[in-house]
Amino acid sequence: MPQDIAELSEDSFDDEIGRSALPVLIDFHAPWCIDCRRLEPALQEAAGDFHGRLKVYKVDVDKQEALGRRFGISTIPVLVLLSSGQEVRRLVNVKDKLRIVTMIEAFMAHEKPS
């Protein structure tokens, strides 16, 4: 089920990420980016698939340049997966839901206690 994905700003970033007990997936994008717009439906579906197990946010790199620099974003779209506030996985120029889901599932399988 697709879901709305909140935009993060420099002001809200540390609060939102810092207090999240769940892993966080961040979509670094820009409104003018065609590939970013094409990714949107797949990202919304993936967010719905992992609802309650993962938080998903967006960062507009044009409006939030400091966050883009903080994560070394030099091309978009880029998806960054964080756990406990630390980057654990990254997908650059992803175009489909399967790659997103595969990355998230691989991380979650690795993080499960034995």
Side-chain angles (χ1 to χ4, degrees):
M1 146 187 16
Q3 73 175 38
D4 289 332
I5 299 170
E7 286 276 346
L8 283 176
S9 68
E10 182 71 26
D11 293 337
S12 67
F13 187 87
D14 289 325
D15 273 350
E16 291 295 324
I17 302 308
R19 65 184 158 118
S20 178
L22 298 174
V24 174
L25 182 65
I26 302 171
D27 171 26
F28 288 91
H29 72 100
W32 50 263
C33 169
I34 293 170
D35 286 338
C36 298
R37 290 196 308 255
R38 286 183 183 149
L39 178 62
E40 184 67 25
L43 184 63
Q44 288 180 344
E45 285 182 29
D49 290 351
F50 290 95
H51 183 74
R53 298 184 291 152
L54 175 80
K55 288 190 175 189
V56 181
Y57 295 99
K58 298 177 80 57
V59 171
D60 181 334
V61 295
D62 288 340
K63 291 180 181 175
Q64 305 300 326
E65 293 177 19
L67 285 176
R69 283 192 304 274
R70 181 172 167 180
F71 282 88
I73 305 301
S74 59
T75 187
I76 51 176
V78 172
L79 299 178
V80 175
L81 184 61
L82 304 173
S83 179
S84 302
Q86 300 298 312
E87 182 176 336
V88 293
R89 302 258 197 294
R90 179 180 290 226
L91 288 176
V92 177
N93 203 21
V94 64
K95 293 181 173 65
D96 61 85
K97 179 182 170 186
L98 180 60
R99 284 191 61 208
I100 299 168
V101 169
T102 300
M103 174 185 71
I104 295 167
E105 286 178 343
F107 167 74
M108 290 186 167
H110 177 71
E111 290 299 301
K112 286 183 181 173
S114 309

